[in-house]
Amino acid sequence: MKMVHLNQILLFTFCLIISNSCQTKKEKIPGIQPSPAPIDNDQKLEWFREAKFGMFIHWGPYSQLAGEWNGKQMKSPAEWIMNRLQIPVDDYRELAHKLNPVEFNAHDWVRLARDAGMKYIVITAKHHDGFAMYHSKVSEYNIFDWTSYKRDPLKELSVACAEEGIKFCVYYSHREDWDHPGAYGNNWEYDNEWGDSFYDKEKFEKYLEEKAKPQLRELLTDYGPIGLVWFDRGMFTFEQGMDFVNLVHGIQPATLVNSRVGNYNQELIGDYQSTSDNGMPPGGLKEYWESPQTLNETWGFDKSDTLWKSPETVIRNLISIVSRGGNYLLNIGPKGTGEIPGATLEIFSKVGPWVARNAESIYGTTANPFGELPWGYCTVKGNKLYLFVREWPQNGELAIPRVHNAVTSAYLLLDKTKLPVKQVAKQTLISLPSKQADNPMTVLVLELDGSPKVDPPVVSQDQNGSAELNYLKVITHGKSMTRFNRKGGFHISKWTGPDDSAEWVLHVDKPGTFQMVIDYAANKNSEGKPYEIKVGSSTFKTFVLYTGDWFEYHKFPVGYIEHLEPGDYTVNIRPKESGDSYLMWLRSITLIPVKTIKKEGWGVN
Ligand code: GLC
């Protein structure tokens, strides 16, 4: 293999722009004490990584309307009805006044979650409509003071959660509030639907100080330990987002904060990543993540939305998320009366038993180490691989890619029936019974003589001989991380020094000469940082060029690799020097087959 190295590449014409007062309550909640002293990030995430499955609850005055107001129907999501039908604030306040959820029973709700296998609930303490579903002292616009109900459902839920061993968590819409004249979102009465950089800062920050922050302080002070605060719809500035992170951690250091706390266009903040709604990353995310998903098409109750997911789909979604290393936050939309729709109960009653039978393969596991598997999914715990067979093999034999450990046994998780297993060349082969043992998916256990050592996923060339090395099959070392952000998409980042690298195994079966192109985003802080890329025994040394912002990706040619022979190569990229800021936000390194090498105009070493 011969290498032509291009340093100092400034041919921007080549570049492709790809993307363009807190008051505390006297009464104590039995069994709940405020969180103890500061803990580190890993400890903080421990319960969340173990939990895997949570219940989202969207419930508020909008639940009474069920998608219709004054004879007018709206399109999903039903919790947006005030905004979509431009309901005047006074009319909506009148509607909120009538909220009387006589059917609400905190224990029933928490048991529904528990019996479905869920380990935490996240309930809308205040959604975008601005109405607090708990007894707030900050604003009388809350379920206790504003209605005849005179109960605090969140207090009742926090008590029931503590009794049932479920983590109690709250959703709080911090930027959006259609009731408050200073908040974002109401464009029909307050003209407050601002652009990202153009907004009335003074008016907005007054809202934050007089409503959003004091209400959050109440929630974090009066409701016992809060597992996590689920913010939504982002923030304007980084500082405003960080204020909320610090507010939460200042009162309850162990409480997690989701990534929607900050501006979606800026560097990610918060303790874990929320994907987009119903988002399913194809895999490969290292920074811990959670996918919020609907059970039908709406979040808040909508009487006309009957597009319920089947229990089989819910189970498959759970497995697919867990096998990709994330959490599944599945939503329910109770009615205004507090009744939970029959279809929801029915689906949950079928999901729960499967999860209970296969609990060992879900909770506390880590992601599939093989990358995608043609026949199903995999999770890992200790010395065990859990194999979820989506497509029962015709020949009765399940092929698992190379596992370097010795297999001590293979069996069905359901009843521990032993299965014949052999390790042949690069594969482990398990003989399966003729029929699926469980529905909708059977789980097999492969017990090994130690923690699993498997071949890393291999990047292969496509039909034309190109190979794209991206976040999906990367092995990250040190602080390097595969991340997701609404604006920046999937990328590799968080690397600040030579110990933080990204690595791939590249399989070459179509030899030849290749041009190497790197696709990344870099802001001013990353400009000029030196880095190197190694392909097998060849090293390319270059430095980072400014692309505009951390989510503005550009493609840059790095150099040519001549006569790359068939075989497996390790490709590694790392910063050459230590610093405070990230090297870059890397999307991919691509090898493109070329017939000739264009040397003119390039700084060739
Ligand atoms: C979207 C919706 C919001 C809902 C949220 C849940 O942001 O606008 O109503 O609460 O998704 O993820």
Side-chain angles (χ1 to χ4, degrees):
M1 175 169 85
K2 198 178 141 212
M3 175 193 68
V4 180
H5 180 241
L6 306 175
N7 215 349
Q8 307 211 346
I9 297 154
L10 295 165
L11 289 183
F12 283 100
T13 43
F14 180 87
C15 305
L16 280 171
I17 298 171
I18 298 302
S19 63
N20 19 359
S21 99
C22 152
Q23 299 179 32
T24 36
K25 286 205 162 178
K26 300 243 162 31
E27 69 262 37
K28 278 257 177 295
I29 303 168
I32 305 181
Q33 291 306 319
S35 301
I39 55 171
D40 70 37
N41 266 0
D42 266 355
Q43 274 178 299
K44 216 153 75 176
L45 276 165
E46 214 176 274
W47 74 266
F48 194 58
R49 287 181 203 270
E50 173 71 32
K52 302 292 177 200
F53 197 17
M55 180 191 269
F56 215 174
I57 307 174
H58 276 71
W59 193 44
Y62 47 80
S63 312
Q64 303 174 92
L65 294 178
E68 185 186 338
W69 177 71
N70 267 356
K72 281 183 257 170
Q73 299 269 346
M74 58 124 9
K75 277 287 285 160
S76 265
E79 72 284 1
W80 273 75
I81 194 161
M82 180 181 179
N83 178 296
R84 296 276 158 86
L85 299 183
Q86 310 217 326
I87 304 179
V89 168
D90 283 347
D91 290 5
Y92 196 86
R93 284 189 152 233
E94 198 44 44
L95 172 88
H97 185 62
K98 295 194 187 115
L99 187 64
N100 189 19
V102 288
E103 308 275 336
F104 168 72
N105 181 311
H107 276 96
D108 286 354
W109 286 22
V110 173
R111 284 191 197 120
L112 178 69
R114 184 199 64 189
D115 293 348
M118 293 158 155
K119 302 292 186 189
Y120 58 108
I121 66 167
V122 184
I123 181 159
T124 46
K126 184 201 85 163
H127 203 263
H128 312 332
D129 61 1
F131 187 75
M133 291 297 284
Y134 70 98
H135 189 187
S136 171
K137 308 287 165 45
V138 171
S139 153
E140 59 170 4
Y141 195 44
N142 72 75
I143 191 163
F144 192 96
D145 295 318
W146 196 257
T147 75
S148 57
Y149 190 56
K150 296 282 168 276
R151 275 165 61 185
D152 181 341
L154 264 61
K155 180 68 60 99
E156 293 177 27
L157 280 168
S158 66
V159 174
C161 278
E163 285 173 10
E164 301 287 354
I166 300 287
K167 285 266 184 195
F168 177 69
C169 312
V170 292
Y171 168 109
Y172 190 90
S173 179
H174 59 327
R175 182 170 85 138
E176 203 113 3
D177 191 314
W178 306 325
D179 187 74
H180 196 288
Y184 177 86
N186 186 332
N187 61 357
W188 60 100
E189 234 163 306
Y190 304 136
D191 199 19
N192 283 359
E193 202 178 296
W194 303 300
D196 245 8
S197 51
F198 175 75
Y199 69 105
D200 191 328
K201 190 163 189 281
E202 205 177 313
K203 198 161 118 175
F204 180 67
E205 291 192 345
K206 185 167 179 292
Y207 147 74
L208 294 183
E209 295 307 321
E210 74 186 25
K211 186 165 181 187
K213 290 181 186 176
Q215 285 204 326
L216 266 163
R217 284 191 201 104
E218 291 179 320
L219 289 163
L220 287 152
T221 311
D222 299 349
Y223 293 82
I226 306 288
L228 61 89
V229 182
W230 217 97
F231 291 99
D232 201 10
R233 307 275 295 161
M235 219 358 109
F236 290 105
T237 70
F238 178 79
E239 290 72 26
Q240 288 163 350
M242 280 310 293
D243 268 3
F244 280 93
V245 173
N246 294 334
L247 188 155
V248 173
H249 292 159
I251 303 174
Q252 295 207 28
T255 301
L256 297 170
V257 172
N258 76 329
S259 59
R260 292 195 191 180
V261 65
N263 186 321
Y264 296 172
N265 297 347
Q266 292 173 0
E267 172 59 8
L268 206 106
I269 57 175
D271 299 306
Y272 72 89
Q273 305 196 20
S274 296
T275 67
S276 40
D277 297 343
N278 291 304
M280 198 77 108
L285 272 186
K286 280 283 153 37
E287 199 159 55
Y288 208 79
W289 61 276
E290 173 190 61
S291 175
Q293 303 216 358
T294 50
L295 194 56
N296 41 2
E297 304 250 289
T298 178
W299 302 93
F301 176 63
D302 183 341
K303 60 179 181 234
S304 64
D305 183 352
T306 53
L307 289 169
W308 300 99
K309 299 193 171 72
S310 67
E312 291 76 21
T313 301
V314 169
I315 291 167
R316 223 170 289 127
N317 286 349
L318 173 67
I319 297 166
S320 119
I321 289 172
V322 173
S323 75
R324 289 164 185 178
N327 278 22
Y328 185 28
L329 182 63
L330 180 60
N331 182 70
I332 67 164
K335 298 180 183 176
T337 55
E339 188 198 337
I340 294 180
T344 303
L345 299 176
E346 171 93 22
I347 298 164
F348 276 44
S349 71
K350 295 192 174 129
V351 169
W354 186 93
V355 178
R357 285 196 296 276
N358 296 288
E360 189 189 319
S361 64
I362 302 284
Y363 304 115
T365 58
T366 53
N368 175 0
F370 301 103
E372 292 297 281
L373 291 162
W375 44 257
Y377 310 91
C378 173
T379 59
V380 182
K381 189 156 53 184
N383 293 353
K384 294 176 185 167
L385 291 173
Y386 299 96
L387 311 169
F388 303 77
V389 190
R390 186 185 52 218
E391 271 142 58
W392 209 250
Q394 296 273 320
N395 67 356
E397 208 164 53
L398 192 76
I400 297 122
R402 169 120 78 159
V403 176
H404 291 265
N405 315 65
V407 173
T408 54
S409 73
Y411 54 89
L412 294 174
L413 179 59
L414 189 65
D415 57 10
K416 309 278 182 285
T417 304
K418 290 257 184 227
L419 301 171
V421 59
K422 54 187 183 213
Q423 288 179 283
V424 185
K426 289 191 167 190
Q427 287 191 324
T428 302
L429 301 169
I430 307 179
S431 302
L432 300 183
S434 55
K435 278 205 307 226
Q436 283 248 35
D438 200 354
N439 260 315
M441 239 182 280
T442 304
V443 187
L444 317 178
V445 185
L446 197 63
E447 258 188 43
L448 309 173
D449 65 349
S451 54
K453 290 181 191 65
V454 304
D455 274 352
V458 173
V459 181
S460 300
Q461 292 169 285
D462 66 15
Q463 275 182 336
N464 307 320
S466 286
E468 185 180 300
L469 311 160
N470 57 31
Y471 84 98
L472 206 48
K473 292 188 174 172
V474 72
I475 306 148
T476 49
H477 300 288
K479 297 194 296 297
S480 301
M481 274 278 178
T482 42
R483 315 182 81 191
F484 167 80
N485 185 292
R486 288 226 183 163
K487 190 84 178 184
F490 293 101
H491 58 269
I492 301 161
S493 189
K494 287 198 132 176
W495 34 11
T496 57
D499 292 337
D500 312 329
S501 68
E503 203 164 279
W504 296 264
V505 179
L506 170 68
H507 177 67
V508 174
D509 57 4
K510 298 175 189 74
T513 294
F514 297 85
Q515 184 181 33
M516 181 157 58
V517 174
I518 187 165
D519 184 1
Y520 64 77
N523 60 17
K524 279 279 170 208
N525 296 335
S526 306
E527 191 177 22
K529 283 184 182 293
Y531 67 98
E532 68 177 27
I533 302 176
K534 283 191 174 163
V535 182
S537 56
S538 307
T539 305
F540 296 77
K541 290 196 168 102
T542 183
F543 55 84
V544 177
L545 296 171
Y546 173 62
T547 68
D549 212 335
W550 73 269
F551 49 81
E552 286 179 29
Y553 292 92
H554 289 231
K555 285 186 179 173
F556 299 100
V558 179
Y560 291 95
I561 310 167
E562 281 187 295
H563 311 305
L564 193 62
E565 302 296 334
D568 285 349
Y569 296 86
T570 301
V571 180
N572 180 294
I573 169 169
R574 69 176 70 229
K576 282 296 285 173
E577 287 170 9
S578 296
D580 295 334
S581 44
Y582 303 156
L583 176 69
M584 62 172 67
W585 288 260
L586 175 65
R587 195 141 73 176
S588 63
I589 297 172
T590 308
L591 299 190
I592 305 159
V594 288
K595 293 217 169 60
T596 50
I597 296 179
K598 230 179 125 201
K599 293 187 185 172
E600 302 113 279
W602 305 83
V604 179
N605 287 347

